[in-house]
Amino acid sequence: MNIQHHISLKTLTTFGIEMYADDFIELTDIALLPELSDVAERKIIGGGSNILCTQSPKGLLIANRIKGIELLSEDVDTVLLKVASGEVWHDFVLYAIKRNYNGIENLALIPGTVGASPIQNIGAYGVEVKDTIESVTYWDWQTKKIITLTNAECHFGYRDSIFKNELKDRFFIISVQIRLSKKQKLNTSYGAIEEELKLMGITTPNSKDVAQAVINIRSCKLPNPKEIGNAGSFFKNPTISVQQFLELKKENPKIPSYPVSNKVVKVPAGWLIEQCGWKAYRKNDYGVHAKQALVLVNYGSASGTELWQLSVDIISSVQERFGIVLEREVQVW
Ligand code: EPU
């Protein structure tokens, strides 16, 4: 095994925080998984786009570099693809669009790897990856076996799955089996997409146009991690009871919301954070993005602890003002 030592995480995570891993391996072959099961502690990294490091990772840091996309089966309407976990998510979206395989165009430009996509059930613009996942294959570090879970067995929820709960720290995702449609099934109901398509002068869009609209919106609102360190949405959008929402609406008539059920609504955390005055906040090299308050940023030399403390302060001010406790979406190491 080619284990490297004292490896900087600055370019391995999109927050760009300087931190070192004592032991590090780039994994390109799943044949090494049985041997890696015997190390005392390990952490796995894909695109590093959903991680805030407040301390050096303990144990061996495994970077997932397993590649390959295979067509498993095909019928009149759909294709079933087996996508290796180390593939870059956006490259896979482009691969699908090029072949006219539809269903993930709204998820264009989401950073990270295919293997990370089911863990937090990535989603954007009215689509979640769970809508296309047939099954997920993982290596179980404890039993040292390869296991495949069906979509239902993954217990997908909003930015949630079995991998964040019952299976936490027990798995290494090997591949995700994704079913895409050969027919266009466009989902442009999310307001910003329709507006962007209009700006692009497109009246009868195809999947490629929708992907381009999403790319345009994301590039405009979200900071490019190559320029400003960040991990996308830092918090989840909280869900609250309709009753609590109606109370809040009395004092805040403009509060946006998305219905979840007839008892529960989701409120955009970005709005709550902005109302508390945090949007565009900056101290030293850490702060809150000027165009999207849900994104915390590192302008260069911020530490993980500074960003963590900023998130603590944001959580308390939102709780004080609205009585809502925000949950972090990023993984904190
Ligand atoms: N808003 C504000 N101020 C802000 C940001 C947002 O008032 O600073 C309000 C906007 O007015 C808008 C609402 O919040 O009405 C929603 O904003 P936006 O469309 O930007 O989406 P979001 O709810 O903040 C979620 C996802 C994003 C995803 C977008 C689009 C979560 C935690 N985040 O953000 O996902 O791209 O919707 O579907 O659910 C990610 O997870 O990393 C991510 C970027």
Side-chain angles (χ1 to χ4, degrees), residues 49-50 106 110-111 120 122-127 158-159 190 192 214 217-218 221-222 230-238 254 256-258 266-275 279 288-295 327 329-330:
S49 55
N50 204 39
N106 294 38
I110 293 190
Q120 56 149 343
I122 57 169
Y125 308 104
V127 174
Y158 165 60
R159 295 292 191 278
Y190 198 93
V214 168
I217 302 166
R218 289 187 77 97
K221 265 194 178 178
L222 300 168
N230 76 92
S233 303
F234 193 92
F235 301 97
K236 289 197 215 179
N237 284 336
K254 288 196 177 145
S257 66
Y258 310 103
K266 203 185 270 181
V267 178
W271 187 87
L272 299 169
I273 297 167
E274 182 175 349
Q275 298 308 303
K279 198 168 184 172
V288 177
H289 189 48
K291 292 186 193 157
Q292 165 53 289
L294 196 48
V295 179
E327 272 178 52
E329 202 224 89
V330 297

Side-chain angles (χ1 to χ4, degrees), residues 249-277:
K249 205 172 163 67
K250 280 186 205 157
E251 301 241 319
N252 309 275
K254 288 196 177 145
I255 186 169
S257 66
Y258 310 103
V260 175
S261 69
N262 53 10
K263 288 194 181 131
V264 176
V265 292
K266 203 185 270 181
V267 178
W271 187 87
L272 299 169
I273 297 167
E274 182 175 349
Q275 298 308 303
C276 293

Side-chain angles (χ1 to χ4, degrees), residues 13-30:
T13 61
T14 58
F15 248 131
I17 288 164
E18 191 64 283
M19 197 65 78
Y20 287 86
D22 288 343
D23 302 316
F24 173 79
I25 185 167
E26 284 197 302
L27 187 69
T28 53
D29 185 354
I30 62 166

